[in-house]
Amino acid sequence: MVTLNRIYTRTGDGGETRLASGQPVSKSDARVETYGVVDELNAVIGIARLHTGQNERIDAMLGRIQNELFDLGADLATPYAPEPKWEALRIVASQVERLETEIDWMNESLKPLDSFILPGGAPLAAHLHMARTVARRAEREAVRLMEGGETVNAEAVKYLNRLSDHLFVAARRANVNGVGGGDVLWKPGATR
């Protein structure tokens, strides 16, 4: 566990921070940027949860996901080299599989798509669509980190990929179950 007695330390005033390994890096480092977007995603999901209302199962899933996003942040903040002197917290395959199971459950009651969906509808759906786009950005940042020569947990990238799908299906379900009246569909060329 982490104990925080002081919130500000002034150690980052010069533009540097430390990874979980203790290694000093710039706050603009690709690894810091990646777990920073994961933190942003967590905050967006927190806002979405303000709108879950009576949808206790969706709220419970989102609450668990928020906790897992802290795990993911710890994973991304801990480089593989040098090898940590402790067992690093890493995202595991079962977490990805659980997202897939939940996607399947949410998708069972939804009509097949016959158009792309515009973000909107019920407040919960709109916020989940925002979270979905932030999840995609986090995934792109993780891939960019890998392409830059850093080792990234493959399950972490899979988790982000699946999470954006999860948030998309949850948004669709929120529009069916909420005050959104169903999916907001794209009408190609409708305003020409």
Side-chain angles (χ1 to χ4, degrees):
M1 290 298 293
V2 175
T3 303
L4 300 173
N5 293 325
R6 274 180 71 192
I7 300 306
Y8 65 91
T9 62
R10 297 187 177 110
T11 58
D13 290 353
E16 282 195 344
T17 190
R18 292 188 182 275
L19 299 176
S21 62
Q23 173 188 352
V25 294
S26 169
K27 288 187 175 185
S28 66
D29 182 84
R31 188 170 289 279
V32 176
E33 180 64 27
T34 304
Y35 67 73
V37 177
V38 170
D39 187 34
E40 179 184 350
L41 171 58
N42 206 336
V44 174
I45 290 174
I47 293 169
R49 290 185 70 197
L50 295 173
H51 302 282
T52 55
Q54 300 300 312
N55 203 331
E56 293 174 10
R57 189 161 179 187
I58 296 286
D59 187 64
M61 285 189 288
L62 294 175
R64 188 204 70 247
I65 287 166
Q66 283 191 288
N67 194 76
E68 290 176 349
L69 288 173
F70 260 82
D71 293 349
L72 176 59
D75 185 337
L76 293 167
T78 309
Y80 280 80
E83 188 172 331
K85 295 176 176 70
W86 65 92
E87 184 179 348
L89 183 57
R90 303 285 183 203
I91 294 294
V92 295
S94 62
Q95 291 171 295
V96 176
E97 291 161 7
R98 183 173 38 233
L99 289 175
E100 291 172 351
T101 299
E102 291 170 349
I103 290 168
D104 292 342
W105 168 76
M106 289 186 290
N107 208 35
E108 282 175 359
S109 63
L110 298 175
K111 296 177 188 173
L113 285 173
D114 56 6
S115 178
F116 287 104
I117 294 177
L118 301 177
L124 175 58
H127 286 291
L128 289 171
H129 278 297
M130 184 67 195
R132 171 188 57 79
T133 66
V134 177
R136 284 288 185 214
R137 182 159 43 93
E139 180 186 10
R140 289 190 305 272
E141 291 295 336
V143 169
R144 188 174 293 116
L145 186 61
M146 287 188 314
E147 289 173 346
E150 293 281 338
T151 302
V152 176
N153 177 6
E155 294 301 326
V157 177
K158 288 179 192 175
Y159 184 89
L160 285 166
N161 187 13
R162 217 64 83 247
L163 179 56
S164 61
D165 296 335
H166 188 286
L167 295 167
F168 175 78
V169 175
R172 289 194 68 210
R173 191 168 174 106
N175 268 339
V176 169
N177 295 340
V179 295
D183 292 322
V184 181
L185 300 178
W186 173 47
K187 297 173 185 139
T191 59
R192 288 184 179 178

